[in-house]
Amino acid sequence: MAELCLGPLLRYVDGSSATFWVEASRPCTAEVRCADGARGTARTFHVAGHHYALVPVSGLTPGTVTAYEVLLDGTTVWPPPDSSFPPSAVRTLGGDEGAVRVTFGSCRWAAPPAGERDPVGPDALDTLAARLAAAPDGERPDVLLLLGDQVYADEVSKATRAWIAARRGLADPPGRQVADYEEYTRLYYESWLDPEIRWLLSTVPSCMIFDDHDVIDDWNTSASWLAEIRATPWWRERVLSGLMSYWVHQHLGNLSPDELSEDPLYAAVRETPDGTDVLRAFAARADGDPASFRWSYRRDFGRTRVLMLDTRAARVLDEKKRAMLDPGEAAWLREQALDAPGTSDHLLIGTSLPWLLPPLIHHAETWDAALCRGERGARWARFGERLRRAADLEHWAAFPESFEDLTGLIAEAGSGKHAPATVCVLSGDVHHAYVAEPVWADPSLRPAARVLQLTCSPVHNSIPLSVRLGFRFGWSRPARMLGSLLSRHGRRGRPLVDWRKNGGPWFGNQLMTLTLHGRSAALRLEQARRPRIGGRAGEGARLTTVEETTITPH
């Protein structure tokens, strides 16, 4: 009898359809039955000894909440009979008029098993799940945007390290890090079998995009970095397994049923008894020629448009042509951002890496990019490369032309009589949260839309004291002055925008939520905190509102 190994994950949802991702223990037919009579089936496909299905369901009623169950070969496997959580349900979108709630964050270490000490504090997603389970009819997100580092291939838990040691030992590279597809599946089990996370992802739709730790820290920092790591004996298996597992576990669920039906790779994997070789050949092509495949995608939630960007695999690393997005990816972004003027009240650009950073870090990255390009000679270029790797100088500012292109596109998308009310860049990565607002150097270029950088990280990770102090200083006036000096040394001109911090920095395990209703927008930042009882840490973590503000009035 087939058993449910992982999932279900509720992924795509619109007004009348949804997709559900599952992993089963053996080949079977997966079925989703909804309480209103809607249902869908899919046969599992096989990758590296694992059996997966993405089940499309159509015929749902807009604006409704419908409980569902999952069956494998006709036997009910979800919800579990002993579950303490409310029934998993699909909430369909109700048209253009209702509010849309978008909750986002990044950087999540899997929470330790219940009863074990958590050294980095309560998990914000676990805590959100507990709140939703306690009030299943209350306010909840319409979608979770998970902006990278859903798993950490290079920083595994003690339990996973012990499992790897028993499987192959730790003496040979990559040692304590993930080596292959099977070890990647362990990361997803550890993260998504957490009872709270499993229930949360079964009942709240999710959109995902990778960042570096999904493959390796500072993935695709530079051309020399890539050449060096490709020369190692373990890297090819690691990167191919990373791309294969990401496609299976995260990317497929980002696509709509129509997109899935037209996807030739998905069809090829499903049509063969064992899709491993097909998927591995694809991963090899995607790694060797990043422009051959687009991981970025678009989702629409009523009149809210979400563009999720790949800012890792799509990079151009040649120092003379360095770009965050390859030409095809950049053209796709421009097309989607400017598509159908007047049909969106809000444009959300999801990029794991922030567009607007603390000013000192921004200027340090543009300065370092100039050094690496040879603006100050070969010795400075070698120093610049060492600094880039040591200090993680690889955000949008480290690709200066791409930064300017994105800035110009945001201004263009936010201008004109059909402009959206807001253009917000949603990011994570930097292990703190803040709100920044650009100020255009040329007032005539200032867009009509309210433009904000909204950064929220981590969901569940460590925030060392050095990081806190560094980011606090990075926003200060002396830091801004120091950054200006670096820019002059790197012979960089003034950027199209300056920016100011409207909120933060905030440190903790946290989530941001945008509530979008018509052309109004409100922002809430919440942190997972455990109450202290009698001077000691007590049970019962709660999400505490740290900041709540109106972006555009109702």
Side-chain angles (χ1 to χ4, degrees), residues 65-117:
V65 181
T66 307
Y68 72 88
E69 59 181 4
V70 177
L71 299 86
L72 300 180
D73 283 343
T75 300
T76 301
V77 294
W78 186 269
D82 57 349
S83 174
S84 61
F85 292 96
S88 300
V90 186
R91 294 177 180 242
T92 53
L93 299 180
D96 295 345
E97 296 79 14
V100 173
R101 294 183 180 87
V102 179
T103 296
F104 64 95
S106 78
C107 307
R108 180 179 179 268
W109 280 343
E116 289 190 15
R117 177 180 174 273

Side-chain angles (χ1 to χ4, degrees), residues 110-328:
E116 289 190 15
R117 177 180 174 273
D118 193 335
V120 299
D123 183 327
L125 278 184
D126 268 354
T127 312
L128 173 63
R131 183 171 74 186
L132 298 184
D137 296 325
E139 177 188 306
R140 67 170 54 204
D142 291 289
V143 64
L144 291 172
L145 302 187
L146 303 179
L147 295 167
D149 297 344
Q150 276 70 260
V151 294
Y152 279 71
D154 52 352
E155 299 179 32
V156 303
S157 68
K158 290 181 179 179
T160 295
R161 189 161 64 243
W163 179 84
I164 291 173
R167 180 174 185 256
R168 60 169 167 85
L170 303 176
D172 295 328
R176 298 181 175 190
Q177 300 184 26
V178 164
D180 57 21
Y181 188 92
E182 186 63 27
E183 292 178 9
Y184 263 104
T185 66
R186 168 78 183 194
L187 298 183
Y188 285 103
Y189 291 157
E190 186 175 49
S191 184
W192 291 355
L193 287 177
D194 172 327
E196 286 77 15
I197 298 300
R198 191 176 195 181
W199 177 79
L200 178 69
L201 294 179
S202 77
T203 200
V204 177
S206 55
C207 296
M208 306 181 189
I209 195 71
F210 48 40
D211 198 16
D212 55 342
H213 290 284
D214 291 271
V215 177
I216 194 170
D217 189 24
D218 301 337
W219 179 29
N220 285 342
T221 288
S222 67
S224 63
W225 177 94
L226 185 59
E228 289 178 17
I229 202 163
R230 280 180 170 171
T232 64
W234 56 272
W235 172 248
R236 181 171 175 79
E237 185 60 39
R238 166 71 157 271
V239 70
L240 297 191
S241 297
L243 293 175
M244 291 169 66
S245 64
Y246 174 77
W247 185 86
V248 169
H249 292 83
Q250 299 191 49
H251 177 72
L252 276 181
N254 294 329
L255 306 180
S256 70
D258 288 344
E259 290 169 324
L260 287 167
S261 67
E262 298 171 359
D263 189 308
L265 176 60
Y266 183 52
V269 169
R270 295 179 70 200
E271 287 167 1
T272 182
D274 185 347
T276 307
D277 290 343
V278 172
L279 191 55
R280 187 177 181 85
F282 154 76
R285 290 193 302 273
D287 177 54
D289 179 15
S292 66
F293 187 80
R294 174 172 49 79
W295 298 102
S296 302
Y297 60 97
R298 169 178 166 175
R299 292 283 305 275
D300 290 288
F301 300 88
R303 291 180 60 85
T304 296
R305 182 177 306 171
V306 178
L307 305 179
M308 294 285 275
L309 299 186
D310 160 24
T311 54
R312 285 292 171 183
R315 294 179 175 187
V316 177
L317 299 179
D318 183 334
E319 291 295 345
K320 302 302 181 183
K321 304 175 183 177
R322 191 169 164 85
M324 183 67 87
L325 307 176
D326 65 56

